[in-house]
Amino acid sequence: MKYFRFVLLAMCLVLNGGLIGCSSSGDGASDSDSDSDSDSDTDSDTDSDTDSDTDSDTDSDTDSDTDSDTDTDTAVPTECELATPMDTAGTFVDSNLATPDEIDYYSITLAAGDFVQIFTDIHDGDGTPQLLDPVITLWNEDGTTLLATADDQIPRVDMDSELIYRAPAAGTYCVAIEGWENWAGQTTGTTTDWNYSIAALLMDPAQVGWTTNLLNPETETNDTIGSANTMTMVLGSSNATFGRAYGDLSGATDVDVFTYTLPVSAVATSIGFYKPFGAGAAGVQGHGSTLTDGMFTLTDMSGNVISTLDVSFDGSDWVAPNNPPDANVPMAGGTQVAVHFEGGTGWTPGANDFYVLEIINQTSDNTGEVETNDTAGTASTTTFAANTSGGYSGFLMGTIDPAATDVDYWSFSAVAGEEIALACGAASNGSGLVGATFAIHNASDTLIQTETESGYDTILWSSVTGASMAAITVTASATYYLVISATSQSASMTANHYRCGIHRTP
Ligand SMILES: [Ca+2]
Ligand SMILES: [Ca+2]
Ligand SMILES: [Ca+2]
Ligand SMILES: [Ca+2]
């Protein structure tokens, strides 16, 4: 969606200082998230190596033949029956759309249970509106049933689109690519270059094109820690590791358990619902999973619950536009843990309840608090660095321990006229803190503005659309305080952390 795109881009600039990646940094997470995300993007880099295959010319000929007769029947894509075959080995098809309302169709053949990632490669960043803004849609073989339609990717790095789908049955599937304006029903647009590249790549660890150790498909039976699937992970920069765990729920009682060990140098583990739930709601307006509600639980190897997230994929639990909540849990390096995935509250089994989790073990984190910091006079210090928006960002984290008693003060200096934006998360970061409250006080320790987290609600004080409260503009050059507390600790998990980013804009 064009509208969300702009908002999300703006959020990345505000919250993330213009650093690449807009993933969990919306919650005030540290920069290391972005690093890890960009590592995972190397999948597509690897894929583009296969681009040198030159069968694309043939494909574009076929396209123009197919498209010339039917610009108007976009609602009923009978062209699926004439679609050009495309492999699932990641070979790019290079072609173009002849008119703004043209849709090109390709067919792929999948076996039952196959996961496939379909993706475009047009953009290397935003800010080039003349290039085609592609949307990928998946139909059944004859184009009579819409299976999924996805714009962009999560985390969104540019206007390219990705769609992950699990084939519930063996057969031929129809892939459509079109411009965003046509997809959104708009009659005018700014696109002047209609060239595109599109590919499909099986999510099979044996399939060339994937980074070794990234893909961790489930193998049943894996319903307990004792029978869990052991994950492999990709080693990224600064010894961070990451991997994708994915599968489907076969019946109401299915639980899928994956185990992994954090690197010795790790300080936190992040678990996120991955692409099936991004860029649209659950179901066909997204990646085609019928899973409406998903829950994962992070435990130690004895089953003690550290963190859990129980999320509805209808968007109501989104932390930010297009961004479901994810757990970012401080953990000791070398720890072995288990992630249990199951249907969330409100879920009833559907026909194709698939999921993808992305797990990142981080080796750096936001600045930690120094207790005792329960008063303005003993506040922990916030460290700021210049961001690319011309301002300064400070990232911090701590624990409220015990809840209802501990109070954490963080001090920072601000200059008269500066705008102070705040992004914070506790429950929305997989913490068991209940009623986490984030407040800014002035130099006299007098409250300026406060907000209490409810559910997985966004704590985002900013001028961007989707913010929970307005940013603050300070009137005096002085010391200010971010003050954090919570009413209680959930009895069902031990994580008690919070994370914040403070962003000062002159
Ligand atoms: Ca399963
Ligand atoms: Ca299972
Ligand atoms: Ca504390
Ligand atoms: Ca404290």
Side-chain angles (χ1 to χ4, degrees):
M1 296 168 71
K2 213 82 183 179
Y3 179 66
F4 273 169
R5 274 186 193 137
F6 173 77
V7 168
L8 193 54
L9 176 62
M11 284 191 56
C12 295
L13 292 173
V14 169
L15 299 179
N16 214 14
L19 296 166
I20 56 170
C22 314
S23 56
S24 44
S25 6
D27 306 333
S30 70
D31 300 342
S32 56
D33 287 341
S34 327
D35 296 337
S36 309
D37 288 337
S38 55
D39 290 336
S40 58
D41 289 339
T42 53
D43 302 337
S44 40
D45 294 338
T46 316
D47 300 339
S48 36
D49 296 339
T50 60
D51 206 8
S52 49
D53 298 341
T54 47
D55 46 353
S56 41
D57 296 336
T58 330
D59 294 330
S60 33
D61 294 340
T62 317
D63 290 344
S64 17
D65 298 337
T66 312
D67 300 322
S68 47
D69 41 357
T70 48
D71 287 335
T72 50
D73 58 359
T74 54
V76 185
T78 55
E79 292 96 331
C80 277
E81 295 167 357
L82 303 170
T84 307
M86 179 166 68
D87 69 32
T88 54
T91 307
F92 273 108
V93 172
D94 302 321
S95 188
N96 69 284
L97 301 176
T99 61
D101 60 351
E102 182 173 48
I103 305 175
D104 280 357
Y105 295 91
Y106 298 91
S107 65
I108 55 175
T109 303
L110 300 171
D114 274 355
F115 275 74
V116 66
Q117 179 165 330
I118 306 163
F119 50 97
T120 64
D121 185 13
I122 297 168
H123 297 264
D124 290 316
D126 276 319
T128 48
Q130 74 276 14
L131 297 180
L132 176 67
D133 180 0
V135 177
I136 299 169
T137 300
L138 189 68
W139 299 84
N140 69 338
E141 180 172 10
D142 63 5
T144 53
T145 303
L146 175 65
L147 300 174
T149 184
D151 181 27
D152 296 341
Q153 74 286 89
I154 297 293
R156 181 177 185 279
V157 293
D158 55 37
M159 290 192 288
D160 273 314
S161 289
E162 283 183 349
L163 190 158
I164 288 178
Y165 186 73
R166 173 186 176 274
T172 301
Y173 292 81
C174 177
V175 177
I177 179 171
E178 66 193 295
W180 181 85
E181 290 92 347
N182 190 58
W183 179 78
Q186 298 193 350
T187 53
T188 59
T190 55
T191 304
T192 56
D193 183 337
W194 299 90
N195 293 299
Y196 67 81
S197 298
I198 186 169
L201 184 60
L202 275 186
M203 284 177 59
D204 175 349
Q207 172 69 57
V208 173
W210 290 105
T211 303
T212 305
N213 294 338
L214 176 69
L215 299 184
N216 292 269
E218 68 156 327
T219 304
E220 293 284 0
T221 305
N222 56 3
D223 290 15
T224 64
I225 292 175
S227 62
N229 299 143
T230 302
M231 290 185 70
T232 60
M233 297 268 190
V234 178
L235 182 62
S237 57
S238 304
N239 293 316
T241 60
F242 55 95
R244 287 185 194 170
Y246 55 98
D248 70 293
L249 296 180
S250 46
T253 59
D254 190 19
V255 180
D256 295 343
V257 186
F258 300 84
T259 63
Y260 59 95
T261 302
L262 279 72
V264 172
S265 54
V267 295
T269 192
S270 299
I271 307 164
F273 298 103
Y274 203 43
K275 302 181 179 178
F277 315 114
V284 297
Q285 297 298 318
H287 297 247
S289 174
T290 52
L291 190 65
T292 57
D293 305 85
M295 178 169 79
F296 64 74
T297 303
L298 174 71
T299 71
D300 64 19
M301 294 304 285
S302 301
N304 299 306
V305 178
I306 301 164
S307 172
T308 187
L309 280 178
D310 181 356
V311 174
S312 290
F313 299 125
D314 60 3
S316 59
D317 287 331
W318 269 207
V319 166
N322 281 0
N323 203 5
D326 52 3
N328 295 281
V329 184
M331 295 285 300
T335 310
Q336 187 178 11
V337 293
V339 173
H340 311 240
F341 187 86
E342 59 197 297
T345 301
W347 169 71
T348 54
N352 195 15
D353 290 323
F354 68 89
Y355 62 88
V356 181
L357 298 178
E358 181 158 272
I359 297 171
I360 304 170
N361 296 313
Q362 303 180 45
T363 52
S364 64
D365 208 339
N366 295 359
T367 302
E369 66 170 326
V370 179
E371 290 279 6
T372 305
N373 56 5
D374 292 13
T375 63
T378 59
S380 295
T381 304
T382 312
T383 304
F384 283 85
N387 60 42
T388 56
S389 301
Y392 305 89
S393 291
F395 297 94
L396 56 91
M397 60 166 290
T399 60
I400 299 299
D401 185 19
T405 300
D406 188 20
V407 178
D408 289 353
Y409 272 74
W410 289 84
S411 65
F412 62 96
S413 297
V415 178
E418 277 187 342
E419 181 186 87
I420 309 298
L422 182 69
C424 291
S428 63
N429 264 209
S431 170
L433 290 177
V434 177
T437 297
F438 303 89
I440 287 186
H441 294 189
N442 68 13
S444 308
D445 200 14
T446 300
L447 174 68
I448 298 176
Q449 183 162 298
T450 183
E451 185 174 6
T452 297
E453 190 181 47
S454 171
Y456 302 138
D457 284 356
T458 303
I459 301 288
L460 175 60
W461 300 359
S462 171
S463 56
V464 305
T465 303
S468 57
M469 296 186 79
I472 294 168
T473 299
V474 299
T475 54
S477 298
T479 297
Y480 293 83
Y481 301 98
L482 172 61
V483 183
I484 300 151
S485 59
T487 52
S488 62
Q489 171 70 30
S490 167
S492 63
M493 61 181 127
T494 56
N496 58 0
H497 59 282
Y498 61 83
R499 292 166 183 280
C500 288
I502 303 172
H503 309 275
R504 300 161 36 211
T505 305

